[in-house]
Amino acid sequence: MNFEIDDQQRDFAASIDAALGAADVPAAVRAWGEGDTAPGRKVWARLADLGVTALMVPEKFDGIDAHPTDLVVAMERIGRWAVPGPVTESIAVAPILLAGQDEWAQRSAALASGELIATVALPPLVPRAVDADTADLILLAEDGQVHDGAAGARHESIDPSRHLFDVNAAGDAQSADVARAFEFGALATAAQLIGAAQEMLDAAVEYAKQRSQFGNVIGSYQAIKHKLADVLIAIEMARPLVYGAALALAQAGTAASTSIARDVSAAKVAAADAALLAARSALQTHGAIGFTQEHDLSLLLVRVQALRPAWGDPTWHRRRVLEALTA
């Protein structure tokens, strides 16, 4: 099976890179963490102009109703640039939760246009909502239903740009495909982890060409080459699993089948492991400077630590793979 993206998707990825490369995303991430969301919303506006925020919104609500692989393409780029805000929740999950209700057409259209940024709590695996203090819409989804939500107590995250909040139901329940929304949340998070891992690997490779030790650039040492090669192998093993999970979601329609659970969980585990290996290798290659707040690598290091347990931690997803294989 060929998991390569096509030329149109490559152009889409390049367009996202060009837009985010001109947006000074690291400054927006730091500002977001300090409570100033204006620079970050400008970044979101660039994504909206490219149709990223409309990817999973149905066409009848002015969305694109794109294939899940297009979502993966976009999320990998978003992860590479560490875009601030409830990315998974607003772009991948909220459109699924709102899609079944025509009375929420205006909300769905606003998601598609980027005018509305949504966040979601989906207990028990996603008990808290990201950036519920600044999101335009808070949703609480569980047991096949979705409610409007209200932000409760705030909790600290290892990533200063991710503000976590308890959520209380604040409206009447509506039916929603919560199981499918969860799978899209896990898939989108896995894709972001792959993007972050690739960016850290690229940064480590470039730095290894510049940093000298004992009179030689460290990239000339076999130990460094092997360490970075291990990261590349981990990424290249994880990426097909992420695209495979996207294909499973597309082929199965709205059914939350055992095969979808297996494929999504396998992708999330592999992406989380690859990102952790990339983070460790990048930090070891850069040395202590990589973890200083002034260095942009630090933004990816903490983002990976925050995303690994998000939408189901690796232990939970490994258990789900095992249950699917033994069912």
Side-chain angles (χ1 to χ4, degrees):
M1 184 175 291
N2 187 357
F3 287 110
E4 290 184 345
I5 60 177
D6 59 31
D7 290 341
Q8 186 175 2
Q9 290 170 325
R10 290 190 184 92
D11 290 343
F12 183 41
S15 297
I16 295 173
D17 278 337
L20 296 181
D24 195 3
V25 177
V29 175
R30 293 184 174 95
W32 194 284
E34 295 171 357
D36 179 9
T37 62
R41 283 186 174 266
K42 290 181 179 178
V43 173
W44 276 73
R46 289 175 179 262
L47 294 175
D49 289 342
L50 294 171
V52 174
T53 54
L55 284 172
M56 303 316 300
V57 177
E59 290 183 358
K60 66 178 181 178
F61 300 140
D62 298 328
I64 298 175
D65 200 11
H67 194 281
T69 57
D70 294 322
L71 175 69
V72 169
V73 170
M75 284 294 172
E76 185 171 334
R77 312 321 296 175
I78 286 172
R80 187 161 192 163
W81 289 94
V83 171
V87 174
T88 291
E89 294 75 9
S90 192
I91 299 175
V93 178
I96 306 298
L97 293 174
L98 298 179
Q101 300 295 333
D102 288 342
E103 57 265 37
W104 284 344
Q106 187 173 0
R107 288 180 170 183
S108 293
L111 279 177
S113 67
E115 298 173 10
L116 189 73
I117 295 178
T119 190
V120 178
L122 202 157
L125 290 174
V126 190
R128 295 165 182 160
V130 178
D131 298 320
D133 54 339
T134 57
D136 306 305
L137 175 64
I138 304 171
L139 298 174
L140 174 61
E142 54 185 337
D143 299 327
Q145 296 182 320
V146 59
H147 306 254
D148 280 354
R154 175 172 171 168
H155 301 268
E156 295 301 318
S157 168
I158 191 172
D159 183 348
S161 69
R162 287 171 60 87
H163 308 145
L164 303 177
F165 288 83
D166 292 336
V167 175
N168 303 308
D172 295 334
Q174 301 286 344
S175 61
D177 196 344
V178 176
R180 184 168 173 80
F182 173 80
E183 304 298 352
F184 270 89
L187 175 67
T189 304
Q192 288 179 75
L193 284 165
I194 290 294
Q198 186 68 61
E199 178 62 21
M200 288 187 291
L201 173 60
D202 291 348
V205 169
E206 287 304 311
Y207 194 73
K209 297 176 182 178
Q210 304 170 20
R211 181 182 173 189
S212 295
Q213 199 171 50
F214 307 117
N216 297 301
V217 293
I218 63 172
S220 65
Y221 296 123
Q222 288 298 318
I224 298 295
K225 292 179 180 179
H226 289 165
K227 183 179 294 292
L228 297 178
D230 287 343
V231 176
L232 177 60
I233 291 170
I235 293 172
E236 293 304 318
M237 289 181 65
R239 185 177 277 121
L241 293 177
V242 176
Y243 280 98
L247 290 174
L249 278 166
Q251 293 169 355
T254 59
S257 66
T258 300
S259 62
I260 289 178
R262 177 199 64 206
D263 292 350
V264 170
S265 284
K268 181 63 162 54
V269 169
D273 288 351
L276 181 61
L277 182 61
R280 288 173 173 170
S281 298
L283 184 56
Q284 290 170 345
T285 303
H286 282 77
I289 191 175
F291 206 68
T292 60
Q293 292 185 352
E294 293 78 14
H295 201 291
D296 291 346
L297 178 63
S298 66
L299 304 178
L300 287 165
L301 293 174
V302 296
R303 181 62 57 84
V304 164
Q305 293 300 329
L307 291 182
R308 287 186 73 249
W311 294 88
D313 64 25
T315 298
W316 185 87
H317 281 289
R318 283 191 174 92
R319 185 180 304 116
R320 196 165 69 146
V321 171
L322 177 60
E323 291 171 353
L325 292 175
T326 57

